[in-house]
Amino acid sequence: MEPRNHTAVSEFLLLGLTEDPALQPLIFSLFLSMYLVTILGNLLIILAVISEPRLHTPMYFFLSNLSFNDVCFSTSTIPKMLVNILTEVQSTTYTDCLSQVCFVLIFGGLENCLLTVMAYDRYVAICHPLRYTVIMNPCLCVQLILISLLISTVDALLHTLMVLRLSFCTALEIPHFFCELAQVIKLACSDTLINNLLVYLVSGVFAGVFLSGIIFSYVHIVSSVLRMPSSQGKYKAFSTCGSHLSVVSLFYGTGFGVYISSEMTDSPRKTAVASVMYSVVPQMLNPFIYSLRNRDMKGALRKLIDRTSSLL
């Protein structure tokens, strides 16, 4: 099959999770429900943090940014899928596909950075409590968010620009519900060695550096907590980290699970189904994890709901 230059490529076909028409209404309903729960849950977290003065601390500042990122992450993938199912149109333009690749990489990378920043915040709070307010000052908190956004944006633009150099064949079917970088690279007819090396290198850096930062923080946290004389102090310290540790385990666990499943199966459709676990599920569950395990957040949400109900 003769390759053609990428400038001639007009559209890709997103094949979705299944070809069975009978399952499309079920998939539409399921993903619409998950998307609405994700949006509502994360917006409630953001509004609760804004409206409750007690939550105006670095930990909740980072949490509200994580919630906003989760809204953006879900919005970059699910609405397009829902529109395709509703209109029964699988095509997406070349520009739209690369834009989606870029945004998914930005928000996915930012999720990594934010989880690492939140681990550092807990490390300072527990290991250096007397200097916490000095170290985690508002200026540093904003700088950490901006640096995280810069890193993820540069990474996304680098990958996207590298895709622009590729030439594609006439078979432009993506067995996925969104334009994923790895699937787009597989469609190229030109040499993809540099692209694949870049993917492995950046993935290794993100997984290695940021995950190592989280592990480093929690090793010191556990060490400090075990030296605390009172059991009440230990419980309070661990309870403040429990929600974050659950979110980290969910995000990285599902990510590694998808990677392993993609290596063990030759079916792109099975890989697409597995990818739902890291691209949709963590963003939906994060608000529940933080609200159910955090007394201050539950109190703030209760006040917010009561205040909203009184206005209606």
Side-chain angles (χ1 to χ4, degrees), residues 72-263:
C72 296
F73 198 173
S74 298
T75 303
S76 68
T77 57
I78 300 180
K80 176 64 176 175
M81 175 193 183
L82 296 177
V83 170
N84 287 355
I85 294 175
L86 201 61
T87 59
E88 298 182 356
V89 175
Q90 294 179 315
S91 62
T92 182
T93 65
Y94 177 80
T95 303
D96 286 348
C97 189
L98 288 195
S99 297
Q100 189 175 52
V101 167
C102 186
F103 283 118
V104 168
L105 289 173
I106 288 174
F107 300 126
L110 188 55
E111 188 103 355
N112 275 281
C113 296
L114 287 175
L115 290 175
T116 307
V117 168
M118 293 171 78
Y120 174 71
D121 172 70
R122 291 299 83 207
Y123 159 74
V124 176
I126 294 173
C127 299
H128 305 283
L130 298 179
R131 299 175 57 204
Y132 178 68
T133 54
V134 176
I135 296 175
M136 300 303 295
N137 58 77
C139 183
L140 178 62
C141 292
V142 173
Q143 287 177 349
L144 288 173
I145 295 295
L146 292 177
I147 291 171
S148 298
L149 182 59
L150 177 64
I151 292 172
S152 57
T153 302
V154 169
D155 168 58
L157 289 176
L158 181 60
H159 283 297
T160 306
L161 290 174
M162 290 300 291
V163 171
L164 288 173
R165 57 178 281 278
L166 300 176
S167 298
F168 293 91
C169 300
T170 53
L172 299 176
E173 297 180 343
I174 300 176
H176 216 301
F177 66 93
F178 68 92
C179 290
E180 190 182 48
L181 177 64
Q183 297 295 335
V184 173
I185 292 176
K186 286 181 181 179
L187 297 177
C189 289
S190 54
D191 184 24
T192 59
L193 177 62
I194 297 177
N195 295 78
N196 288 322
L197 285 176
L198 184 62
V199 169
Y200 287 123
L201 176 64
V202 173
S203 298
V205 169
F206 266 82
V209 173
F210 293 116
L211 189 57
S212 296
I214 293 172
I215 293 172
F216 172 85
S217 297
Y218 273 102
V219 166
H220 283 77
I221 287 171
V222 172
S223 176
S224 296
V225 170
L226 292 178
R227 291 198 300 267
M228 291 180 179
S230 68
S231 57
Q232 186 177 1
K234 292 179 181 179
Y235 174 78
K236 186 177 180 181
F238 277 126
S239 65
T240 61
C241 299
S243 299
H244 176 258
L245 202 53
S246 299
V247 171
V248 169
S249 301
L250 181 64
F251 182 74
Y252 283 101
T254 53
F256 285 130
V258 171
Y259 174 76
I260 292 171
S261 67
S262 65
E263 292 295 319

Side-chain angles (χ1 to χ4, degrees), residues 25-74:
L26 175 62
I27 292 174
F28 179 85
S29 301
L30 178 63
F31 274 80
L32 178 60
S33 301
M34 294 170 73
Y35 180 64
L36 292 176
V37 169
T38 301
I39 299 299
L40 180 61
N42 283 290
L43 286 180
L44 282 175
I45 293 290
I46 295 171
L47 291 174
V49 172
I50 292 173
S51 63
E52 179 56 58
R54 284 195 308 166
L55 301 185
H56 293 174
T57 62
M59 182 177 82
Y60 293 106
F61 172 72
F62 294 132
L63 174 58
S64 60
N65 278 274
L66 180 68
S67 293
F68 180 74
N69 183 70
D70 286 341
V71 170
C72 296
F73 198 173
S74 298

